[in-house]
Amino acid sequence: MRVLVTGGAGFIGSHVVDALRARGFEPVVLDRRSAPEQDVRDPEVVAKALVGVDAVCHQAAMVGLSTRFADAPAYVSHNDLGTAVLLAEMAEAGVRRLVLAGSMVVYGEGRYRCPRHGIVRPGPRSVPELDAGRFEPPCPHCGAALAPELVGEDAPVDPRNVYACTKLTQEHLASSWARATGGSAVSLRYHNVYGPRMPKDTPYAGVASFFRSALARGEAPRVFEDGRQRRDFVHVRDVADANVAALLAEPRPGVLRAYNTGSGDPRTVGQAAATLATAYGGPSPLVTGEYRLGDVRHITADSSLLRSELGWAPRVRYEDGMREFATAPLRGE
């Protein structure tokens, strides 16, 4: 199978390319890092790249939580316009298999249980609460403390920043494409992906890259809030294997199927920083109490559907993956 990998020279995309080659696929890379003119927003470029292609793994995107709302047009252009152009050209070329790099950010806050009201969805955290160091969202009905739980794919979507909005729009576009063309679409809702080739020293990278970059500079990793926010850290090679599993699955014409893609082993952000610092031999993390307004408190995945339907399972243990990542080269080094 000949597979176009958009963003195939990037962090996750390059590992997808490696995994495809290892399984006997023929990957074709479309990435602005390789050549500036290879822009997924250019219909002529995309049409040329799709010649002879059987399926697409769409990894190209502007990622991460922006530091300013002024970046909104760039996010929408790269992520949503780019996806619309790609899907339009796929429709014209007769390419009917798509694997989309989705994201857990579409859920907003994770799943919470109140001892009195059961499953509840807290609203966005307020500036006064965050300024006061009250980071845990309370029950919206009674104000009680909540217990975080794993999020399933049937959870309501509630994107709470621009990046999250664009990732949800990508899914809506892919779903519309599937219905209109009879194509088969899978969205892999990545959780906190980490591993070799993460970008260095960029405000748009994931939190693991922030910590690793700080350690490389000889600085203590800076942990926002109180460090107790929960995430699911999943190794990039496991994410690449999930893309292969999605391509090998039986197509479902006319449907977009979403799958959480996480390790199933939730950790706090503070734990991740401490694990990396210890493995690197650098300074201990500094818990700052700072926050980013678009961040959510807890978001961890239930990835059992991906396991049961596509036969995927993560292979890299958290301890092993973090130990490797602590000394692995970052992109830009």
Side-chain angles (χ1 to χ4, degrees):
M1 183 186 293
R2 185 176 171 90
V3 182
L4 176 64
V5 184
T6 69
F11 165 45
I12 298 175
S14 65
H15 285 276
V16 172
V17 168
D18 291 346
L20 290 171
R21 287 200 179 110
R23 296 295 296 267
F25 291 84
E26 181 185 354
V28 178
V29 173
L30 177 66
D31 196 303
R32 295 174 69 205
R33 296 173 187 84
S34 303
E37 69 274 9
Q38 290 193 336
D39 194 322
V40 74
R41 295 169 294 180
D42 186 326
E44 292 185 7
V45 168
V46 174
K48 183 177 179 180
L50 285 170
V51 173
V53 161
D54 303 297
V56 174
C57 283
H58 184 31
Q59 309 295 316
M62 185 173 176
V63 301
L65 177 59
S66 175
T67 57
R68 59 200 191 113
F69 195 83
D71 290 329
Y75 275 98
V76 172
S77 177
H78 284 279
N79 298 354
D80 298 337
L81 175 60
T83 298
V85 170
L86 172 66
L87 294 173
E89 294 305 319
M90 288 175 65
E92 290 298 309
V95 179
R96 297 293 184 262
R97 293 291 297 270
L98 172 71
V99 180
L100 173 67
S103 176
M104 54 83 180
V105 295
V106 301
Y107 297 118
E109 281 289 353
R111 177 184 171 98
Y112 293 86
R113 183 178 295 276
C114 171
R116 178 180 176 187
H117 294 97
I119 299 301
V120 297
R121 289 189 59 79
R125 297 181 294 172
S126 69
V127 169
E129 291 291 309
L130 293 169
D131 283 343
R134 292 189 287 268
F135 302 119
E136 294 287 349
C139 175
H141 306 297
C142 67
L146 300 175
E149 298 186 348
L150 298 182
V151 178
E153 290 86 353
D154 59 348
V157 291
D158 184 17
R160 296 193 176 182
N161 57 61
V162 170
Y163 171 62
C165 291
T166 66
K167 296 307 290 183
L168 182 57
T169 298
Q170 283 185 312
E171 288 194 357
H172 289 324
L173 288 166
S175 179
S176 179
W177 166 84
R179 288 195 302 272
T181 66
S184 174
V186 169
S187 177
L188 298 173
R189 290 176 174 170
Y190 300 160
H191 280 248
N192 287 68
V193 186
Y194 74 97
R197 305 176 203 161
M198 283 195 90
K200 176 188 176 186
D201 289 332
T202 167
Y204 302 100
V207 66
S209 178
F210 296 164
F211 297 156
R212 175 65 174 75
S213 295
L215 290 165
R217 296 192 301 268
E219 301 172 2
R222 295 176 62 84
V223 179
F224 280 15
E225 301 187 17
D226 58 5
R228 296 174 186 168
Q229 57 270 47
R230 286 160 44 104
R231 297 292 186 268
D232 185 318
F233 293 93
V234 58
H235 197 277
V236 67
R237 288 195 296 273
D238 287 332
V239 166
D241 287 345
N243 278 265
V244 174
L247 288 171
L248 292 173
E250 188 69 25
R252 297 189 178 191
V255 173
L256 178 136
R257 190 74 164 146
Y259 296 98
N260 288 334
T261 308
S263 68
D265 184 14
R267 305 280 174 151
T268 69
V269 171
Q271 283 177 319
T275 302
L276 279 174
T278 299
Y280 189 86
S284 297
L286 175 65
V287 178
T288 68
E290 298 172 86
Y291 64 85
R292 298 188 299 180
L293 192 58
D295 269 341
V296 297
R297 181 60 175 174
H298 303 294
I299 177 70
T300 53
D302 177 355
S303 298
S304 58
L305 192 65
L306 182 57
R307 294 170 184 247
S308 63
E309 291 195 357
L310 300 191
W312 171 89
R315 296 182 297 167
V316 181
R317 293 175 61 248
Y318 169 83
E319 292 80 4
D320 297 335
M322 285 293 183
R323 191 179 305 115
E324 174 201 24
F325 179 53
T327 56
L330 300 178
R331 197 172 71 234
E333 289 185 328

